[in-house]
PDB file of all heavy atoms in Angstrom:
ATOM      1  N   ARG M  67      14.646   7.320   7.020  1.00 95.00           N
ATOM      2  CA  ARG M  67      15.080   6.155   6.148  1.00 95.00           C
ATOM      3  C   ARG M  67      13.888   5.590   5.377  1.00 95.00           C
ATOM      4  O   ARG M  67      14.023   5.221   4.230  1.00 95.00           O
ATOM      5  CB  ARG M  67      15.711   5.101   7.051  1.00 95.00           C
ATOM      6  CG  ARG M  67      16.298   3.908   6.253  1.00 95.00           C
ATOM      7  CD  ARG M  67      16.962   2.922   7.160  1.00 95.00           C
ATOM      8  NE  ARG M  67      16.057   2.299   8.142  1.00 95.00           N
ATOM      9  CZ  ARG M  67      16.436   1.479   9.084  1.00 95.00           C
ATOM     10  NH1 ARG M  67      17.715   1.179   9.211  1.00 95.00           N
ATOM     11  NH2 ARG M  67      15.562   0.944   9.887  1.00 95.00           N
ATOM     12  N   ALA M  68      12.739   5.577   6.033  1.00 95.00           N
ATOM     13  CA  ALA M  68      11.536   5.074   5.360  1.00 95.00           C
ATOM     14  C   ALA M  68      11.099   6.047   4.258  1.00 95.00           C
ATOM     15  O   ALA M  68      10.649   5.587   3.196  1.00 95.00           O
ATOM     16  CB  ALA M  68      10.405   4.894   6.383  1.00 95.00           C
ATOM     17  N   VAL M  69      11.225   7.343   4.501  1.00 95.00           N
ATOM     18  CA  VAL M  69      10.892   8.334   3.466  1.00 95.00           C
ATOM     19  C   VAL M  69      11.797   8.142   2.244  1.00 95.00           C
ATOM     20  O   VAL M  69      11.307   8.084   1.064  1.00 95.00           O
ATOM     21  CB  VAL M  69      11.066   9.779   4.022  1.00 95.00           C
ATOM     22  CG1 VAL M  69      10.923  10.757   2.839  1.00 95.00           C
ATOM     23  CG2 VAL M  69      10.069  10.071   5.087  1.00 95.00           C
ATOM     24  N   LEU M  70      13.104   7.991   2.496  1.00 93.00           N
ATOM     25  CA  LEU M  70      14.028   7.848   1.390  1.00 93.00           C
ATOM     26  C   LEU M  70      13.817   6.507   0.644  1.00 93.00           C
ATOM     27  O   LEU M  70      13.961   6.450  -0.592  1.00 93.00           O
ATOM     28  CB  LEU M  70      15.495   7.922   1.902  1.00 93.00           C
ATOM     29  CG  LEU M  70      15.911   9.291   2.456  1.00 93.00           C
ATOM     30  CD1 LEU M  70      17.261   9.215   3.094  1.00 93.00           C
ATOM     31  CD2 LEU M  70      15.908  10.314   1.327  1.00 93.00           C
ATOM     32  N   ALA M  71      13.443   5.503   1.416  1.00 92.00           N
ATOM     33  CA  ALA M  71      13.232   4.163   0.796  1.00 92.00           C
ATOM     34  C   ALA M  71      12.038   4.250  -0.196  1.00 92.00           C
ATOM     35  O   ALA M  71      12.155   3.752  -1.317  1.00 92.00           O
ATOM     36  CB  ALA M  71      12.940   3.126   1.837  1.00 92.00           C
ATOM     37  N   ASP M  72      11.000   4.869   0.192  1.00 91.00           N
ATOM     38  CA  ASP M  72       9.849   5.066  -0.711  1.00 91.00           C
ATOM     39  C   ASP M  72      10.175   5.946  -1.910  1.00 91.00           C
ATOM     40  O   ASP M  72       9.691   5.730  -2.983  1.00 91.00           O
ATOM     41  CB  ASP M  72       8.614   5.615   0.034  1.00 91.00           C
ATOM     42  CG  ASP M  72       7.825   4.538   0.694  1.00 91.00           C
ATOM     43  OD1 ASP M  72       8.357   3.458   1.000  1.00 91.00           O
ATOM     44  OD2 ASP M  72       6.594   4.798   0.942  1.00 91.00           O
ATOM     45  N   THR M  73      11.038   6.937  -1.671  1.00 90.00           N
ATOM     46  CA  THR M  73      11.395   7.853  -2.768  1.00 90.00           C
ATOM     47  C   THR M  73      12.258   7.123  -3.778  1.00 90.00           C
ATOM     48  O   THR M  73      12.031   7.182  -5.021  1.00 90.00           O
ATOM     49  CB  THR M  73      12.186   9.024  -2.181  1.00 90.00           C
ATOM     50  OG1 THR M  73      11.355   9.763  -1.282  1.00 90.00           O
ATOM     51  CG2 THR M  73      12.611   9.958  -3.327  1.00 90.00           C
ATOM     52  N   VAL M  74      13.270   6.376  -3.297  1.00 87.00           N
ATOM     53  CA  VAL M  74      14.178   5.679  -4.195  1.00 87.00           C
ATOM     54  C   VAL M  74      13.464   4.562  -4.982  1.00 87.00           C
ATOM     55  O   VAL M  74      13.773   4.374  -6.142  1.00 87.00           O
ATOM     56  CB  VAL M  74      15.362   5.068  -3.393  1.00 87.00           C
ATOM     57  CG1 VAL M  74      16.147   4.114  -4.259  1.00 87.00           C
ATOM     58  CG2 VAL M  74      16.230   6.205  -2.845  1.00 87.00           C
ATOM     59  N   ARG M  75      12.474   3.924  -4.362  1.00 83.00           N
ATOM     60  CA  ARG M  75      11.773   2.878  -5.049  1.00 83.00           C
ATOM     61  C   ARG M  75      10.686   3.354  -5.930  1.00 83.00           C
ATOM     62  O   ARG M  75       9.866   2.609  -6.488  1.00 83.00           O
ATOM     63  CB  ARG M  75      11.147   1.922  -3.982  1.00 83.00           C
ATOM     64  CG  ARG M  75      12.163   1.155  -3.168  1.00 83.00           C
ATOM     65  CD  ARG M  75      11.528   0.473  -1.986  1.00 83.00           C
ATOM     66  NE  ARG M  75      12.505  -0.141  -1.125  1.00 83.00           N
ATOM     67  CZ  ARG M  75      12.278  -0.507   0.133  1.00 83.00           C
ATOM     68  NH1 ARG M  75      11.020  -0.426   0.639  1.00 83.00           N
ATOM     69  NH2 ARG M  75      13.225  -1.069   0.879  1.00 83.00           N
ATOM     70  N   ARG M  76      10.628   4.696  -6.143  1.00 72.00           N
ATOM     71  CA  ARG M  76       9.683   5.307  -7.051  1.00 72.00           C
ATOM     72  C   ARG M  76       8.225   5.037  -6.645  1.00 72.00           C
ATOM     73  O   ARG M  76       7.364   4.810  -7.531  1.00 72.00           O
ATOM     74  CB  ARG M  76       9.915   4.859  -8.507  1.00 72.00           C
ATOM     75  CG  ARG M  76      11.263   5.188  -9.059  1.00 72.00           C
ATOM     76  CD  ARG M  76      11.375   6.704  -9.305  1.00 72.00           C
ATOM     77  NE  ARG M  76      12.635   7.077  -9.924  1.00 72.00           N
ATOM     78  CZ  ARG M  76      12.988   8.292 -10.268  1.00 72.00           C
ATOM     79  NH1 ARG M  76      12.150   9.304 -10.040  1.00 72.00           N
ATOM     80  NH2 ARG M  76      14.110   8.584 -10.845  1.00 72.00           N
ATOM     81  N   LYS M  77       7.984   4.986  -5.309  1.00 73.00           N
ATOM     82  CA  LYS M  77       6.622   4.750  -4.903  1.00 73.00           C
ATOM     83  C   LYS M  77       5.853   6.106  -4.735  1.00 73.00           C
ATOM     84  O   LYS M  77       4.771   6.101  -4.236  1.00 73.00           O
ATOM     85  CB  LYS M  77       6.641   4.061  -3.555  1.00 73.00           C
ATOM     86  CG  LYS M  77       7.119   2.595  -3.629  1.00 73.00           C
ATOM     87  CD  LYS M  77       6.965   1.948  -2.274  1.00 73.00           C
ATOM     88  CE  LYS M  77       7.372   0.456  -2.358  1.00 73.00           C
ATOM     89  NZ  LYS M  77       7.234  -0.222  -1.056  1.00 73.00           N
ATOM     90  N   ARG M  78       6.445   7.171  -5.219  1.00 79.00           N
ATOM     91  CA  ARG M  78       5.791   8.469  -5.116  1.00 79.00           C
ATOM     92  C   ARG M  78       5.361   8.721  -3.641  1.00 79.00           C
ATOM     93  O   ARG M  78       4.169   8.833  -3.353  1.00 79.00           O
ATOM     94  CB  ARG M  78       4.634   8.561  -6.028  1.00 79.00           C
ATOM     95  CG  ARG M  78       4.994   8.637  -7.544  1.00 79.00           C
ATOM     96  CD  ARG M  78       3.789   8.834  -8.389  1.00 79.00           C
ATOM     97  NE  ARG M  78       3.191  10.123  -8.176  1.00 79.00           N
ATOM     98  CZ  ARG M  78       1.903  10.428  -8.370  1.00 79.00           C
ATOM     99  NH1 ARG M  78       1.096   9.519  -8.882  1.00 79.00           N
ATOM    100  NH2 ARG M  78       1.452  11.630  -8.151  1.00 79.00           N
ATOM    101  N   ALA M  79       6.333   8.854  -2.783  1.00 90.00           N
ATOM    102  CA  ALA M  79       6.092   9.100  -1.368  1.00 90.00           C
ATOM    103  C   ALA M  79       5.304  10.444  -1.220  1.00 90.00           C
ATOM    104  O   ALA M  79       5.418  11.346  -2.076  1.00 90.00           O
ATOM    105  CB  ALA M  79       7.363   9.142  -0.583  1.00 90.00           C
TER     106      ALA M  79
END
Side-chain angles (χ1 to χ4, degrees):
R67 184 175 64 183
V69 172
L70 293 174
D72 272 25
T73 301
V74 170
R75 293 169 188 166
R76 299 289 184 179
K77 290 185 177 180
R78 292 184 64 204

